[in-house]
Amino acid sequence: MRGWHKAAAWAAITFGMGMGASAAQAQIMIGQTAGFSGVVAAGVQETTEGAKLYLDAVNARGGVNGQKIELVSLDDKFDPKLAGENARKLIEEQNVTAMFLTRGTPHNEAIVPHLNKHGVALIAPSTGAMVLHKPLQKNVYNVRATYQREAEKAITHLASLGINRIAVVLADDSFGADGLVGAQRGFELSKMQPVVLEKVNRAKPDFGPVTAKIAQANAQAVLILASGNTVVDGYNAYRKAGSGAQLVTLSNNASAGFVKSLGESARGVIVTQVFPSERAGNSPLVREALEHAKAKGKDVSPAMLEGYAAAKVLVEALRRAGPKPTRDKVGPALESMQKFDIGGLEISYSPDDHTGLDFADLSIVGTDGKFRR
């Protein structure tokens, strides 16, 4: 058996619908490539776990139109090139019906050509990249809001608090560039300019020169447009440089694992969010997720809620695609969704709009390590 086949089989058992599931039992195969190891591993694992909460419940009730769903997840180590190759393997060799919950901006850009070549829908990419919204990507169906919307809200919120000395540090990749567009819009709306604007290498960031500028500029807040451990490293670096600036980052870091990696420094960190609070008792989506999590002895993090919401959209698409969903039926099924209620939030798609939701909010990490609104 070739190496990737071993990896796929292992991933299907480990990340699939229940530890006892096997590919032989699966009737609908769904593909996922994401960084299950590497700098975003904590968030990826939580988002996938959230999706599994709902998919496990659906499968326990007999699946979709009598067919159970198997999620085949491959680790791309947060490497865009590997993400593209994993997508090719899943589509061409595993023959998955759809792709789902893929992580990262340049990573999804590497996946799109394979979707277009084979007419495969990608549901709920775990990224808010504008490039997946405009111009329209015919095979990409977003669920969460854009990073630009989040970054804009973060800047205007800080400005509303009287914070006007804001530094922006971004990964030198398409994710960082995308978030920067939203941040710049926020600065324009607030009639401000960043006191520091610096890029760092995505793979091997050197925060030394950047942190010196942040301290020298006496920044009150630092918006870091990067992922996982890169944000943690940057935060620790500018603290060591003597800066007491407020840390702000986007929802790609809205995981319990990210908070844990910050350790005692997590308190007071602002993280934008694209779903209601995981403790919002007035949200039907949250109540449902909490109920399924409680049954498994788990808590719900924002990252898990994103995965849970994504799974609800996936299941509805498969249901609408009919008794034997095929690749060519999934896209039209998604585009038939108009104000589909996933639990207090409505999803709508059309042939001209694959955005899904535009919900954005802010949270702050409390003394207990939980996100507070």
Side-chain angles (χ1 to χ4, degrees):
M1 182 182 287
R2 286 162 56 184
W4 82 264
H5 283 292
K6 292 179 181 178
W10 175 83
I13 294 171
T14 304
F15 300 115
M17 301 304 97
M19 296 299 287
S22 69
Q25 296 171 312
Q27 293 168 293
I28 305 174
M29 303 291 285
I30 303 298
Q32 178 193 23
T33 176
F36 286 94
S37 64
V39 297
V40 298
V44 165
Q45 290 164 10
E46 286 178 36
T47 305
T48 304
E49 188 175 14
K52 287 171 58 184
L53 285 178
Y54 188 69
L55 296 176
D56 281 346
V58 169
N59 281 342
R61 296 194 300 266
V64 180
N65 296 321
Q67 296 175 290
K68 293 190 177 182
I69 304 166
E70 184 76 26
L71 182 60
V72 182
S73 301
L74 299 183
D75 182 10
D76 58 37
K77 304 177 183 178
F78 208 50
D79 179 341
K81 184 177 180 180
L82 184 54
E85 177 60 12
N86 281 353
R88 185 197 67 77
K89 291 173 179 177
L90 288 163
I91 292 169
E92 294 183 359
E93 301 181 34
Q94 287 289 83
N95 198 35
V96 296
T97 301
M99 293 291 293
F100 176 67
L101 216 57
T102 49
R103 177 66 181 262
T105 300
H107 313 72
N108 275 285
E109 289 179 295
I111 291 167
V112 166
H114 301 289
L115 305 177
N116 294 341
K117 180 179 179 180
H118 297 282
V120 175
L122 165 58
I123 300 170
S126 188
T127 171
M130 185 61 76
V131 70
L132 299 181
H133 293 255
K134 294 180 181 180
L136 179 79
Q137 295 287 350
K138 65 178 181 178
N139 292 307
V140 178
Y141 295 84
N142 301 282
V143 172
R144 45 155 296 145
T146 66
Y147 289 137
Q148 289 187 20
R149 179 77 179 90
E150 293 182 59
E152 175 189 335
K153 189 173 183 68
I155 297 299
T156 56
H157 174 75
L158 291 171
S160 74
L161 299 176
I163 296 174
N164 53 26
R165 300 186 62 77
I166 305 171
V168 178
V169 180
L170 60 143
D172 189 10
D173 62 10
S174 53
F175 164 73
D178 189 40
L180 179 60
V181 172
Q184 289 174 326
R185 189 180 303 124
F187 281 114
E188 290 170 6
L189 291 171
S190 304
K191 296 179 171 55
M192 299 188 307
Q193 292 288 334
V195 294
V196 174
L197 176 58
E198 291 288 330
K199 296 179 180 180
V200 293
N201 183 276
R202 183 186 73 83
K204 296 180 179 180
D206 178 8
F207 286 101
V210 178
T211 53
K213 292 182 180 180
I214 291 171
Q216 186 176 11
N218 195 26
Q220 296 167 286
V222 183
L223 172 63
I224 304 187
L225 302 170
S227 298
N229 294 344
T230 301
V231 177
V232 176
D233 292 345
Y235 183 61
N236 290 336
Y238 77 68
R239 280 287 182 262
K240 289 179 181 178
S243 172
Q246 167 76 57
L247 173 65
V248 186
T249 189
L250 302 189
S251 66
N252 60 314
N253 298 311
S255 69
F258 172 71
V259 173
K260 185 177 180 180
S261 65
L262 281 170
E264 295 181 0
S265 300
R267 178 183 175 184
V269 170
I270 293 175
V271 183
T272 57
Q273 304 285 357
V274 289
F275 288 95
S277 169
E278 64 278 16
R279 287 178 298 282
N282 60 342
S283 165
L285 173 68
V286 173
R287 287 201 304 270
E288 185 182 325
L290 287 171
E291 181 180 342
H292 284 137
K294 185 178 179 181
K296 294 193 173 187
K298 300 179 182 294
D299 292 324
V300 174
S301 69
M304 289 178 69
L305 194 61
E306 177 180 344
Y308 190 90
K312 296 199 76 171
V313 175
L314 168 66
V315 168
E316 179 64 13
L318 294 174
R319 186 189 69 79
R320 295 185 184 212
K324 293 184 179 180
T326 55
R327 292 174 174 179
D328 61 332
K329 294 179 180 178
V330 174
L334 285 156
E335 290 179 352
S336 74
M337 290 187 192
Q338 296 296 315
K339 295 186 176 180
F340 171 62
D341 187 358
I342 61 171
L345 296 174
E346 293 181 337
I347 296 281
S348 293
Y349 299 116
S350 74
D352 302 316
D353 186 356
H354 291 179
T355 289
L357 293 176
D358 191 35
F359 180 92
D361 198 3
L362 284 91
S363 68
I364 190 166
V365 181
T367 56
D368 58 355
K370 304 290 186 181
F371 294 97
R372 304 293 179 185
R373 300 290 175 107

